[in-house]
Amino acid sequence: AIIAAYDGADTSSSSCCPAQWLLIANTMNSLSIFVTFIFLVSGIMFDILGGRNCATLGCVILSVGLAILATLLQSLEANNDNIIFANTTKPIIETILFAVGVLTCDIGAFFVNVAFWGFLFHLPTKQAMILALSNSCFSCASFIPIVISAFMDVSGYTLPSALLAYGAVIFVGSGGVCWMTVPSMEEYHSNALMVLGLPIPKRTVKGWEGIKEQLIGAKKVFTHPDHTTFHKISICVLSSGWLPAFVYMSMADPLGQEIFGEEGGGDGFSLGISFLKINTLVGLLVGPACGLLVDTFQHPSEGLIEICILMTVSLAVVTLLCGVANWMAQIVVLVAVSISQTIQLLLVMRYAVLFAYPNRVGVVTGALIFLFGAVSLVALLFVTLIIVFTKSYLFPVRIVSAIGTVAWAAYVVYIKRKEPFPTSPTLLPEDEREIAKNFGVATIEDAAYVANMSPDALLKLSASSKIADLRRLSDIALSGEASQRLLRVARRNSSRMSSKDVQRRMSSQISFQKEFPVPAFAWNKVRKGSHETSFDCIITAFNGHGGFGGRNEPSIEWICSAITNDRDDPRRVEAIGGFFGPMLVVSEAYGMILELVVHDENGRTQVAASCACYPPGTLDSDGSVMKTGGDRYHFGLATFGVAPTFTNKEVTGEAFVQRLTAFKQDSEWDQRRKDYGQMWYVAVIGTHPKYQGCGYGTLLLDVVSNYAQETKHDCYLECSGPNIPYYEKCGYDVLWENEIAIHGDSILLAGMVKKYQA
């Protein structure tokens, strides 16, 4: 239809010259290579917006793309040179607009397509089927030109008008259906929580740096020395299988005319229509069936050889029957081409799962499609030259399908002999650290010890795409036995800390004592404290137990109420103590603890308020007080000497662990501190309930503010939403706010800053 519009001819005619077909075909293929990057962008948008918003936005973008194409085609049909710039630049501008329109449509289609991912945790045992349905959308879209053509015949609309009508249907109809049926981000996270037992992060890719890290990670996967050669072979083989399908997709009409000859009449045009119909049926039936089959496999490598053999057979059928001027033979060829296209997408999915750790499967899939697409583009230039010189479409089809058959047959033999597929995905150092971090350690060996299994077994379980395996892994990490083993690892690693590190901690404390003495306005009330003397004040202030009255910290109440509302319950007290104890140990060693002391009614000295703070440059490398699994973390655990109850859901219950996990990962406070840069950080501040309302906490904040003024830095802290007015009175301004929600129950967390006053 586009070629006819360029010609000013009737859109029902399939008459055109080879140059026009080659121009459109190669333009489409070039754009399709670029579109693979949109796959990555759409995945990131799903991560940010959720399925419902992503699908609805995709419908809007798709409608805009159709409007651009309709406007361009209207201009071409009217042959109005004044519509788009001058006559000399008109072809260039029209080509650019055509590319923009197609890409805009593709962006919208991808956004809608990835919305299928929103159902992944609604049907956790049918994830491959859901992804296969997502891929089948592309095949089913082949039927849309037939529908539009029929609409034009019935209504008498021109192609531009039909595209505008189609865009209106997408905007209103599909957009409305997506808004009503696709799960929202909240539903997606809620179902993931029920299935996995733990909340998943709100964002898995964070900003441009996160995208860059993902792309670098994908590069490392493909350049891993153990698999580089096999990746190169696989990309070339995938390219050889894609070419026959592409030729049929883009050149079915002239290919049909050549096969059936002049006496075939309209059979060339019928071949193109037949391909669209068959491709749709195969997408509807074969794609989901393959997904259901894959869901029965215990390991991603299972069934791959059989799928590769089916791919080889499909290409062999195309090679043998593509030139037969018989409709039954051509239907068999079209079915084989459509099956090979569906299998190709399935293989790419499984290949990425085999070699990539779950957190980078999406970007590896996109990179793999881009790589074999780029290789295919080079091969298509070769096909174009053959068509130009031989004036034949059939001859290059036979060549590329024969090459593909041989390549896939050799690939099957290679796989059987070499068995190149790994038993577990390629783990980059950062992947291993992420796995180990889930167990509170820094190495796979230590994580395996905490999990009480071999390192190989742990890696296989961590890399599994099975929901049951992921749930089992979290249950192991959050058990009482794992907590005890973690404490033993912490003691062992802490004892190995170098004397240089110990000396560094001691010298930093001496330096802090000299450089930051208690200011004159507070010297008779405030002193430098320790984790032992501040511990009781902090946990009582945050939990509110002991019958002293007062109010506790809102975010801690939100988390601990999942255990019980009784503040004196030993489980609550133990969990809070296990959380703050190691933190205070680390604060004393690497930062400083300020205490405001008073004399009680018996004349005894008592810590009424305490504040743990960090001078500029003293936080851990990731912006945290103590990086999970790092030296500080293990030092804090070992010195405190108590296994962390807050990671033991056998004691605290699953709901507590879910809230604590969501609070830590969705607040993203470590990264926010790291991004903010040098500042005085108030990590913990609390006033004992007996002394709340006396201005003691404010005085400690004033001491920290005094230090910040001396060093010319800002003061930075985090607090719960209800405490924002208090800190605003102390001179702090809200820098960011983030709502943490579990099962519809939420707490607001804010980052606040008190700027240095020059």
Side-chain angles (χ1 to χ4, degrees):
I2 292 170
I3 289 171
Y6 269 104
D7 268 350
D10 183 3
T11 56
S12 64
S13 170
S14 59
S15 174
C16 64
C17 70
Q20 290 173 314
W21 279 111
L22 294 176
L23 172 64
I24 296 297
N26 285 310
T27 300
M28 288 291 193
N29 184 64
S30 300
L31 292 175
S32 70
I33 303 304
F34 178 79
V35 158
T36 55
F37 278 111
I38 299 174
F39 177 83
L40 303 180
V41 175
S42 59
I44 294 167
M45 293 305 297
F46 173 84
D47 190 39
I48 297 172
L49 300 176
R52 177 181 297 167
N53 291 335
C54 200
T56 307
L57 177 62
C59 291
V60 174
I61 294 174
L62 180 54
S63 301
V64 172
L66 290 169
I68 293 173
L69 291 176
T71 303
L72 174 62
L73 291 175
Q74 182 64 47
S75 171
L76 292 169
E77 285 190 348
N79 196 25
N80 188 343
D81 292 341
N82 296 321
I83 291 181
I84 305 177
F85 296 96
N87 193 43
T88 53
T89 59
K90 188 168 180 285
I92 299 175
I93 300 298
E94 288 168 349
T95 304
I96 294 174
L97 282 177
F98 172 69
V100 170
V102 170
L103 285 176
T104 304
C105 289
D106 280 335
I107 291 171
F110 268 111
F111 277 26
V112 177
N113 181 258
V114 299
F116 266 94
W117 300 356
F119 294 97
L120 285 175
F121 291 106
H122 285 65
L123 298 169
T125 61
K126 297 289 184 289
Q127 292 198 344
M129 184 197 72
I130 292 172
L131 293 174
L133 282 170
S134 176
N135 291 332
S136 296
C137 289
F138 295 108
S139 298
C140 296
S142 301
F143 200 68
I144 292 174
I146 299 175
V147 175
I148 292 179
S149 179
F151 173 76
M152 291 166 62
D153 291 339
V154 172
S155 65
Y157 277 32
T158 62
L159 179 58
S161 300
L163 288 179
L164 285 175
Y166 177 48
V169 171
I170 294 293
F171 185 83
V172 178
S174 298
V177 170
C178 288
W179 181 259
M180 291 186 291
T181 60
V182 178
S184 65
M185 176 70 81
E186 290 73 21
E187 292 173 294
Y188 177 76
H189 280 267
S190 177
N191 277 66
L193 177 63
M194 289 188 291
V195 170
L196 298 175
L198 285 175
I200 59 175
K202 286 185 178 179
R203 293 192 300 149
T204 54
V205 178
K206 301 176 177 65
W208 290 110
E209 284 299 317
I211 298 172
K212 181 180 177 181
E213 289 175 4
Q214 286 284 323
L215 292 174
I216 292 174
K219 179 183 177 182
K220 290 179 180 177
V221 169
F222 285 114
T223 56
H224 192 281
D226 293 341
H227 309 300
T228 302
T229 301
F230 183 61
H231 289 323
K232 292 178 180 178
I233 294 172
S234 299
I235 289 170
C236 291
V237 172
L238 286 168
S239 301
S240 70
W242 181 256
L243 286 173
F246 174 78
V247 173
Y248 263 89
M249 282 190 294
S250 59
M251 304 181 187
D253 281 13
L255 183 62
Q257 292 172 7
E258 182 176 347
I259 292 172
F260 290 101
E262 293 296 329
E263 65 277 6
D267 283 341
F269 188 68
S270 299
L271 185 66
I273 297 298
S274 298
F275 174 77
L276 298 179
K277 293 178 180 178
I278 290 173
N279 199 38
T280 300
L281 289 174
V282 170
L284 281 172
L285 301 176
V286 177
C290 288
L292 287 171
L293 178 64
V294 168
D295 280 322
T296 64
F297 295 153
Q298 295 300 312
H299 190 269
S301 63
E302 293 182 19
L304 277 183
I305 291 181
E306 290 76 10
I307 294 175
C308 290
I309 291 174
L310 180 58
M311 186 75 178
T312 306
V313 172
S314 299
L315 292 174
V317 168
V318 176
T319 305
L320 295 173
L321 300 180
C322 65
V324 178
N326 177 276
W327 263 113
M328 184 58 66
Q330 288 305 312
I331 289 175
V332 171
V333 171
L334 294 176
V335 170
V337 169
S338 299
I339 289 176
S340 70
Q341 186 181 11
T342 302
I343 290 174
Q344 189 97 340
L345 293 172
L346 178 62
L347 280 170
V348 168
M349 263 194 340
R350 303 309 288 174
Y351 191 94
V353 170
L354 274 169
F355 285 95
Y357 187 60
N359 68 338
R360 61 182 84 254
V361 166
V363 69
V364 168
T365 301
L368 186 62
I369 294 174
F370 174 77
L371 288 172
F372 84 70
V375 174
S376 299
L377 181 59
V378 176
L380 278 169
L381 295 177
F382 175 69
V383 170
T384 301
L385 291 175
I386 294 177
I387 294 174
V388 170
F389 287 108
T390 64
K391 309 299 182 183
S392 170
Y393 294 92
L394 181 59
F395 181 63
V397 170
R398 283 175 171 159
I399 291 178
V400 296
S401 56
I403 292 174
T405 303
V406 174
W408 278 90
Y411 193 60
V412 170
V413 173
Y414 180 84
I415 292 173
K416 284 188 173 182
R417 288 184 178 179
K418 299 290 186 179
E419 298 183 354
F421 295 117
T423 55
S424 60
T426 303
L427 285 177
L428 305 178
E430 51 266 40
D431 296 330
E432 294 191 6
R433 287 194 296 270
E434 194 64 31
I435 294 173
K437 182 180 176 181
N438 294 329
F439 293 88
V441 294
T443 66
I444 289 295
E445 290 72 24
D446 283 346
Y449 173 78
V450 173
N452 196 22
M453 62 177 64
S454 69
D456 286 342
L458 175 63
L459 290 176
K460 288 180 181 179
L461 200 62
S462 300
S464 174
S465 59
K466 299 290 184 180
I467 295 297
D469 290 339
L470 299 177
R471 181 61 185 256
R472 181 188 167 202
L473 197 65
S474 70
D475 289 341
I476 292 172
L478 299 172
S479 65
E481 182 183 355
S483 297
Q484 293 294 334
R485 286 174 169 268
L486 172 58
L487 180 59
R488 289 196 286 271
V489 171
R491 285 171 171 163
R492 184 190 66 210
N493 291 347
S494 183
S495 66
R496 294 175 180 173
M497 292 177 70
S498 67
S499 59
K500 288 184 178 180
D501 187 74
V502 176
Q503 292 173 0
R504 191 183 307 115
R505 291 203 310 270
M506 293 178 62
S507 63
S508 67
Q509 285 304 305
I510 295 172
S511 174
F512 291 159
Q513 294 286 347
K514 293 180 179 180
E515 188 175 356
F516 305 113
V518 176
F521 65 84
W523 69 268
N524 61 335
K525 292 183 179 180
V526 177
R527 72 184 185 188
K528 298 293 178 67
S530 67
H531 69 275
E532 294 100 333
T533 54
S534 287
F535 177 72
D536 183 67
C537 173
I538 288 296
I539 66 169
T540 307
F542 275 78
N543 186 45
H545 59 276
F548 296 104
R551 75 182 182 93
N552 60 354
E553 211 288 323
S555 61
I556 294 298
E557 179 61 33
W558 180 77
I559 296 171
C560 291
S561 62
I563 302 176
T564 176
N565 289 319
D566 181 6
R567 299 179 183 180
D568 292 304
D569 189 295
R571 294 174 299 166
R572 277 186 60 147
V573 178
E574 187 179 357
I576 293 173
F579 183 80
F580 284 107
M583 183 187 298
L584 290 172
V585 170
V586 172
S587 297
E588 180 186 356
Y590 293 90
M592 67 172 69
I593 296 177
L594 301 172
E595 295 175 345
L596 191 146
V597 294
V598 297
H599 295 287
D600 63 14
E601 59 274 9
N602 298 318
R604 291 175 300 189
T605 300
Q606 185 172 0
V607 177
S610 180
C611 171
C613 59
Y614 286 78
T618 57
L619 290 173
D620 216 338
S621 58
D622 64 342
S624 66
V625 169
M626 50 183 186
K627 181 166 56 179
T628 302
D631 289 342
R632 292 190 185 189
Y633 182 70
H634 288 165
F635 169 73
L637 280 178
T639 304
F640 185 64
V642 178
T645 307
F646 63 89
T647 63
N648 181 4
K649 69 178 182 181
E650 296 165 3
V651 174
T652 59
E654 189 171 71
F656 171 87
V657 174
Q658 289 174 350
R659 292 193 178 196
L660 180 61
T661 303
F663 189 80
K664 293 172 65 178
Q665 70 184 12
D666 289 343
S667 63
E668 301 178 0
W669 49 15
D670 294 341
Q671 186 62 47
R672 294 179 193 270
R673 289 184 220 118
K674 183 178 179 181
D675 293 342
Y676 192 83
Q678 300 286 307
M679 79 298 200
W680 274 84
Y681 175 57
V682 180
V684 181
I685 184 168
T687 302
H688 194 284
K690 285 173 56 177
Y691 304 102
Q692 288 179 359
C694 297
Y696 294 157
T698 303
L699 182 59
L700 291 178
L701 287 175
D702 288 341
V703 172
V704 178
S705 178
N706 182 75
Y707 293 152
Q709 283 295 115
E710 290 179 0
T711 61
K712 300 180 180 181
H713 288 90
D714 300 340
C715 292
Y716 185 105
L717 56 79
E718 296 100 6
C719 70
S720 304
N723 288 339
I724 291 177
Y726 166 74
Y727 288 107
E728 286 179 332
K729 291 179 181 178
C730 295
Y732 285 79
D733 296 315
V734 174
L735 181 65
W736 54 264
E737 291 182 341
N738 196 358
E739 187 176 44
I740 315 297
I742 291 288
H743 295 311
D745 194 5
S746 63
I747 184 72
L748 181 68
L749 186 69
M752 303 191 71
V753 171
K754 185 175 183 179
K755 291 289 187 179
Y756 161 69
Q757 300 296 322

